[in-house]
């Protein structure tokens, strides 16, 4: 069960990324949330009215939702690239990230870069 939870959590943005996304205006419904008080990830309640998440908590989108949101809102198309086996980077224009050993690490760096670019564009 723990392995399944860890695998699922790889698909969700970090707490810090979720905060940054909220400040940028991310307002899509998510199936997970972060409890603001203890930064813990939880599954939202689903009932006949749809997904319920307490207003005081923070939406925890999947990475797929985040990439789609950046494409729709900012027309930003950045994804990790595989250089060779177990080496990934993020490229944007003439900027390259450091090398990462896992795709998930590169995805996180990609989301961080998208957040940075969005903040610059919103100024």
């Amino acid at each position: 069960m723990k392995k399944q939870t860890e695998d699922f959590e790889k698909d969700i943005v970090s707490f810090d990324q979720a905060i940054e996304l909220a400040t940028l205006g991310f307002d899509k419904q998510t199936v997970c949330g972060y409890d603001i008080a203890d930064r813990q990830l939880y599954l939202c309640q689903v009932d006949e009215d749809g997904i319920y998440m307490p207003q005081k908590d923070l939406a925890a989108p999947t990475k797929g939702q985040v990439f789609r949101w950046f494409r729709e809102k900012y027309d930003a198309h950045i994804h990790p690239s595989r250089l060779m086996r177990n080496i990934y980077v993020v490229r944007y224009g003439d900027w390259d990230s450091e090398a990462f050993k896992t795709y998930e690490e590169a995805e996180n760096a990609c989301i961080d870069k998208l957040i940075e670019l969005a903040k610059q564009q919103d100024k």
Side-chain angles (χ1 to χ4, degrees), residues 3 8 20 28 34-35 39 48 59-60 63 67 71 73 88 107 111 116:
K3 171 87 169 99
F8 175 73
E20 294 289 347
K28 304 293 183 187
Y34 280 108
D35 185 306
R39 301 170 65 117
E48 63 276 352
K63 292 174 183 175
F67 287 123
R71 283 192 310 270
K73 184 169 180 168
Y88 302 89
E107 269 184 324
I111 290 170
E116 177 189 324

Short mmCIF file of all heavy atoms in Angstrom, two decimals, residues 3 8 20 28 34-35 39 48 59-60 63 67 71 73 88 107 111 116:
data_model
loop_
_atom_site.label_atom_id
_atom_site.label_comp_id
_atom_site.label_asym_id
_atom_site.label_seq_id
_atom_site.Cartn_x
_atom_site.Cartn_y
_atom_site.Cartn_z
N LYS A 3 3.84 1.71 -1.29
CA LYS A 3 4.41 1.89 -2.63
C LYS A 3 3.38 2.54 -3.55
O LYS A 3 3.72 3.45 -4.32
CB LYS A 3 4.86 0.53 -3.19
CG LYS A 3 5.25 0.55 -4.64
CD LYS A 3 6.71 0.92 -4.81
CE LYS A 3 7.18 0.69 -6.22
NZ LYS A 3 7.22 1.85 -7.04
N PHE A 8 1.54 7.36 -6.49
CA PHE A 8 0.50 8.35 -6.73
C PHE A 8 1.01 9.75 -6.44
O PHE A 8 0.76 10.68 -7.19
CB PHE A 8 -0.73 8.03 -5.87
CG PHE A 8 -1.81 9.05 -5.96
CD1 PHE A 8 -2.59 9.15 -7.11
CD2 PHE A 8 -2.06 9.92 -4.92
CE1 PHE A 8 -3.59 10.10 -7.20
CE2 PHE A 8 -3.06 10.87 -5.01
CZ PHE A 8 -3.83 10.96 -6.15
N GLU A 20 2.65 28.39 -5.11
CA GLU A 20 3.01 29.27 -6.23
C GLU A 20 1.93 29.27 -7.30
O GLU A 20 1.58 30.33 -7.85
CB GLU A 20 4.35 28.83 -6.84
CG GLU A 20 5.54 29.00 -5.92
CD GLU A 20 5.93 30.45 -5.69
OE1 GLU A 20 5.46 31.35 -6.41
OE2 GLU A 20 6.72 30.69 -4.77
N LYS A 28 -8.34 25.37 -11.08
CA LYS A 28 -9.01 24.16 -11.56
C LYS A 28 -9.34 23.23 -10.41
O LYS A 28 -8.68 23.23 -9.38
CB LYS A 28 -8.12 23.42 -12.57
CG LYS A 28 -7.68 24.26 -13.74
CD LYS A 28 -8.84 24.62 -14.61
CE LYS A 28 -8.37 25.40 -15.84
NZ LYS A 28 -9.46 25.91 -16.61
N TYR A 34 -3.96 19.99 -0.23
CA TYR A 34 -3.00 20.05 0.87
C TYR A 34 -3.67 20.76 2.03
O TYR A 34 -4.25 21.83 1.86
CB TYR A 34 -1.75 20.84 0.48
CG TYR A 34 -0.76 20.07 -0.34
CD1 TYR A 34 -0.59 20.34 -1.70
CD2 TYR A 34 0.04 19.08 0.24
CE1 TYR A 34 0.34 19.63 -2.45
CE2 TYR A 34 0.97 18.38 -0.51
CZ TYR A 34 1.12 18.66 -1.86
OH TYR A 34 2.03 17.97 -2.60
N ASP A 35 -3.59 20.14 3.21
CA ASP A 35 -4.05 20.79 4.42
C ASP A 35 -3.02 21.88 4.73
O ASP A 35 -1.84 21.60 4.90
CB ASP A 35 -4.12 19.77 5.56
CG ASP A 35 -4.69 20.35 6.83
OD1 ASP A 35 -4.17 21.39 7.29
OD2 ASP A 35 -5.64 19.76 7.37
N ARG A 39 0.54 20.77 5.94
CA ARG A 39 1.13 20.51 4.62
C ARG A 39 0.95 19.08 4.14
O ARG A 39 1.70 18.58 3.32
CB ARG A 39 2.62 20.87 4.62
CG ARG A 39 2.91 22.30 4.97
CD ARG A 39 4.37 22.58 5.20
NE ARG A 39 5.17 22.41 4.02
CZ ARG A 39 5.85 23.36 3.40
NH1 ARG A 39 5.84 24.57 3.89
NH2 ARG A 39 6.56 23.11 2.34
N GLU A 48 -22.30 13.43 -4.70
CA GLU A 48 -23.19 13.66 -5.85
C GLU A 48 -23.07 15.08 -6.41
O GLU A 48 -23.39 15.34 -7.57
CB GLU A 48 -24.65 13.35 -5.51
CG GLU A 48 -25.26 14.23 -4.44
CD GLU A 48 -24.98 13.75 -3.01
OE1 GLU A 48 -24.43 12.66 -2.83
OE2 GLU A 48 -25.31 14.50 -2.08
N ALA A 59 -5.40 23.59 -3.34
CA ALA A 59 -5.55 22.61 -4.42
C ALA A 59 -4.19 21.98 -4.71
O ALA A 59 -3.17 22.66 -4.73
CB ALA A 59 -6.09 23.28 -5.67
N ALA A 60 -4.18 20.67 -4.92
CA ALA A 60 -2.95 19.93 -5.23
C ALA A 60 -3.15 19.26 -6.59
O ALA A 60 -3.57 18.12 -6.67
CB ALA A 60 -2.66 18.91 -4.14
N LYS A 63 0.55 16.86 -12.12
CA LYS A 63 1.49 17.54 -13.01
C LYS A 63 0.89 17.71 -14.40
O LYS A 63 1.10 18.74 -15.05
CB LYS A 63 2.81 16.78 -13.04
CG LYS A 63 3.53 16.85 -11.70
CD LYS A 63 4.76 15.99 -11.66
CE LYS A 63 5.38 16.06 -10.27
NZ LYS A 63 6.53 15.16 -10.13
N PHE A 67 0.71 21.23 -16.51
CA PHE A 67 1.23 21.45 -17.87
C PHE A 67 0.13 21.94 -18.80
O PHE A 67 0.34 22.85 -19.60
CB PHE A 67 1.88 20.17 -18.42
CG PHE A 67 3.21 19.85 -17.78
CD1 PHE A 67 3.42 18.64 -17.15
CD2 PHE A 67 4.26 20.76 -17.83
CE1 PHE A 67 4.65 18.34 -16.57
CE2 PHE A 67 5.49 20.47 -17.25
CZ PHE A 67 5.68 19.26 -16.62
N ARG A 71 -0.13 25.58 -20.73
CA ARG A 71 -0.34 25.67 -22.18
C ARG A 71 -1.52 26.57 -22.51
O ARG A 71 -1.45 27.41 -23.40
CB ARG A 71 -0.58 24.27 -22.78
CG ARG A 71 0.66 23.44 -22.91
CD ARG A 71 0.42 22.20 -23.77
NE ARG A 71 -0.75 21.42 -23.40
CZ ARG A 71 -0.76 20.43 -22.52
NH1 ARG A 71 0.35 20.08 -21.89
NH2 ARG A 71 -1.87 19.77 -22.26
N LYS A 73 -3.14 28.90 -20.48
CA LYS A 73 -3.09 30.27 -19.96
C LYS A 73 -1.92 31.08 -20.51
O LYS A 73 -2.06 32.27 -20.78
CB LYS A 73 -3.04 30.25 -18.43
CG LYS A 73 -3.08 31.65 -17.84
CD LYS A 73 -3.30 31.66 -16.37
CE LYS A 73 -3.31 33.11 -15.90
NZ LYS A 73 -3.78 33.28 -14.57
N TYR A 88 17.99 13.33 -17.71
CA TYR A 88 16.94 14.20 -18.23
C TYR A 88 17.30 15.66 -17.98
O TYR A 88 17.94 15.97 -16.98
CB TYR A 88 15.60 13.89 -17.55
CG TYR A 88 15.17 12.46 -17.71
CD1 TYR A 88 15.55 11.50 -16.79
CD2 TYR A 88 14.38 12.07 -18.79
CE1 TYR A 88 15.17 10.17 -16.93
CE2 TYR A 88 13.99 10.75 -18.93
CZ TYR A 88 14.39 9.81 -18.01
OH TYR A 88 14.00 8.50 -18.16
N GLU A 107 10.60 16.78 -14.29
CA GLU A 107 9.25 17.36 -14.32
C GLU A 107 9.11 18.47 -13.30
O GLU A 107 8.54 19.52 -13.59
CB GLU A 107 8.20 16.29 -13.99
CG GLU A 107 7.65 15.55 -15.15
CD GLU A 107 6.55 14.60 -14.70
OE1 GLU A 107 6.62 14.01 -13.61
OE2 GLU A 107 5.61 14.43 -15.49
N ILE A 111 8.25 22.40 -13.97
CA ILE A 111 7.16 23.17 -13.36
C ILE A 111 7.71 24.40 -12.66
O ILE A 111 7.13 25.49 -12.77
CB ILE A 111 6.33 22.27 -12.41
CG1 ILE A 111 5.55 21.25 -13.24
CG2 ILE A 111 5.39 23.11 -11.54
CD1 ILE A 111 4.89 20.16 -12.44
N GLU A 116 8.34 30.32 -12.76
CA GLU A 116 9.24 31.47 -12.88
C GLU A 116 8.90 32.32 -14.12
O GLU A 116 8.79 33.55 -14.04
CB GLU A 116 10.68 30.98 -12.98
CG GLU A 116 11.72 32.06 -13.18
CD GLU A 116 13.10 31.49 -13.49
OE1 GLU A 116 13.46 30.43 -12.92
OE2 GLU A 116 13.82 32.10 -14.29
#
